[in-house]
Structure formats: C-alpha cells, structure tokens
Amino acid sequence: GAVVSQHPSWVICKSGTSVKIECRSLDFQATTMFWYRQFPKQSLMLMATSNEGSKATYEQGVEKDKFLINHASLTLSTLTVTSAHPEDSSFYICSASQSDVGINGYTFGSGTRLTVV
Amino acid sequence: DAKTTQPTSMDCAEGRAANLPCNHSTISGNEYVYWYRQIHSQGPQYIIHGLKNNETNEMASLIITEDRKSSTLILPHATLRDTAVYYCIVRVYYNFNKFYFGSGTKLNVKP
C-alpha cells in the first residue's frame, strides 16, 4: 500500500531558528500533499495544500511567510517553520494521495513533533 | 471547514461491536465519506470510505443512510488496540478535495 514518510519524527530547536520537515511518498507520485498541525488534545487543522511545481495554497489564518512549503518533486514536499517560537510547538502531519482527486483517501505520515525552547 | 459532527466520546466493551455515528447533513451528492482513526501521537490511519452503498473491509463496515445525511462505522469485535480517536470526514469535492477534520470521537475499549 501507499506509504508516506515524514522526517524527522521529532525535533527540538531553539527559539528564533528555522526547522525543515520532509514529507515523502515512498512508492507513488503525489502531485498534491497536505500539511496539518495538531495541538495537544485537539483535532488536526489543515494548514496548506502543497502542489508540485507551483505555489502552495494556505488556509485562512496561516502565515505563508512563517510556514514555507516547497514541493519540488512528485515525491517530496517540505515544510519549513521559520523563526520558530514556543507557540509553534506542535505535531505536524503531512498527507498525500496516489490519485489526483484522492478518491481512495489520503495516506498520512507518522507526524513530526516540534518543540521550540 | 469540517462538515461532520460526532459524539465526543464512547465506551465499548472488548469483544463487542462498536458503532460510531456521524452526521453530515450538508453532504453533496458526489462527496465521499471517509473514516480514519488516530492512535495517540501517530498519523491518522485509513479505515474505510463510501459514497452511497454500505461498505465492508477487513477492518470495519460503513453504513450510510439512504439520504446520506449520516453514517455509522462498525467495528465488529472491538479490541483494546482499537482505542483511538475516530474521525468521520467528508471530502470537499469543490475545494480541491481537501480533508477537514472535525473533532472526532474518542473510543475507549474496556476489558
């Protein structure tokens, strides 16, 4: 089945630094990937849609200059949290679909736990 | 935004069937219903999806009402490992097929 890999699984960084999270589709090509953020005891919140070869589209209220998304190939999307602050500490999850319209659902990565100190 | 509503939590005895309801009264005719679950600190796991007809796979069954305004996920023989948050999602066909998660149902399977 489809596998989505996220790296790293956890990261601790100092306030003011930037952190990059990778999302890879291991056995399929994904023209579209999605990034989510999840705070403790809350549901997943969609942050942005990552499109291969074009600019990402962000959900309302998500700062595009804060959360930089690059989808340079059909198997890799990256999320960079720039100038991270403690309030950015969260669980970040990506997802992708084998088909363009996701009719068979999306496969999710295992998530990245970001802690900003 | 999420188009679904689910109970906050449910309990189920181990070995019994777990029936998780979901309301999606504003669903459009070509929008699918998906069920995922999330075990603590992991990414969501796909369970099942459907459009109009009832569906069954090795994990669960999905019952969709005739008017499609609600559905029920059935785990036929719940085990302790089925303890998780279960999300019912309507894929937003007109909005780039995005998945918006609602609050989900925390299923507690008890021995």
Side-chain angles (χ1 to χ4, degrees):
Chain A
V3 177
V4 172
S5 174
Q6 261 186 263
H7 180 79
S9 56
W10 61 271
V11 58
I12 301 173
C13 72
K14 290 185 177 180
S15 186
T17 62
S18 296
V19 174
K20 180 185 286 188
I21 302 170
E22 294 186 346
C23 178
R24 295 181 183 273
S25 54
L26 295 187
D27 48 2
F28 66 99
Q29 294 183 331
T31 55
T32 303
M33 292 184 176
F34 300 94
W35 287 96
Y36 293 83
R37 179 169 55 179
Q38 185 176 34
F39 292 110
K41 299 190 184 300
Q42 295 187 21
S43 184
L44 285 76
M45 184 193 79
L46 180 63
M47 298 175 65
T49 304
S50 172
N51 303 294
E52 188 269 335
S54 64
K55 288 183 179 180
T57 55
Y58 292 81
E59 296 295 305
Q60 191 172 7
V62 177
E63 301 174 60
K64 61 180 182 180
D65 295 329
K66 173 77 171 174
F67 300 99
L68 300 180
I69 292 173
N70 183 282
H71 195 152
S73 77
L74 287 171
T75 59
L76 174 63
S77 175
T78 60
L79 168 68
T80 301
V81 183
T82 62
S83 187
H85 291 285
E87 57 265 30
D88 298 322
S89 297
S90 187
F91 193 51
Y92 292 86
I93 308 169
C94 69
S95 72
S97 172
Q98 286 184 278
S99 70
D100 285 345
V101 297
I103 198 167
N104 291 320
Y106 296 105
T107 302
F108 287 79
S110 54
T112 297
R113 175 78 56 192
L114 170 63
T115 302
V116 184
V117 298
Chain B
D1 292 60
K3 300 177 65 172
T4 62
T5 55
Q6 300 175 251
T8 303
S9 66
M10 293 182 66
D11 291 338
C12 176
E14 188 179 19
R16 306 296 288 269
N19 298 290
L20 292 91
C22 178
N23 287 322
H24 31 79
S25 58
T26 61
I27 194 170
S28 299
N30 54 4
E31 291 180 329
Y32 284 74
V33 178
Y34 296 81
W35 283 82
Y36 281 75
R37 71 182 182 184
Q38 185 180 29
I39 297 171
H40 183 62
S41 295
Q42 297 182 24
Q45 175 192 20
Y46 168 82
I47 301 173
I48 199 167
H49 75 281
L51 180 62
K52 295 180 181 179
N53 301 319
N54 299 337
E55 302 287 346
T56 296
N57 63 20
E58 64 278 5
M59 288 185 69
S61 294
L62 174 60
I63 308 297
I64 302 175
T65 58
E66 192 168 342
D67 62 8
R68 302 207 328 119
K69 292 185 177 181
S70 66
S71 61
T72 301
L73 177 74
I74 301 172
L75 306 178
H77 304 288
T79 70
L80 298 178
R81 288 180 294 180
D82 291 323
T83 293
V85 178
Y86 287 77
Y87 294 100
C88 167
I89 303 165
V90 171
R91 183 171 64 103
V92 186
Y93 180 76
Y94 60 84
N95 193 3
F96 304 101
N97 301 299
K98 296 178 182 179
F99 268 13
Y100 291 101
F101 283 75
S103 55
T105 296
K106 175 64 188 302
L107 176 66
N108 299 300
V109 181
K110 300 185 175 182

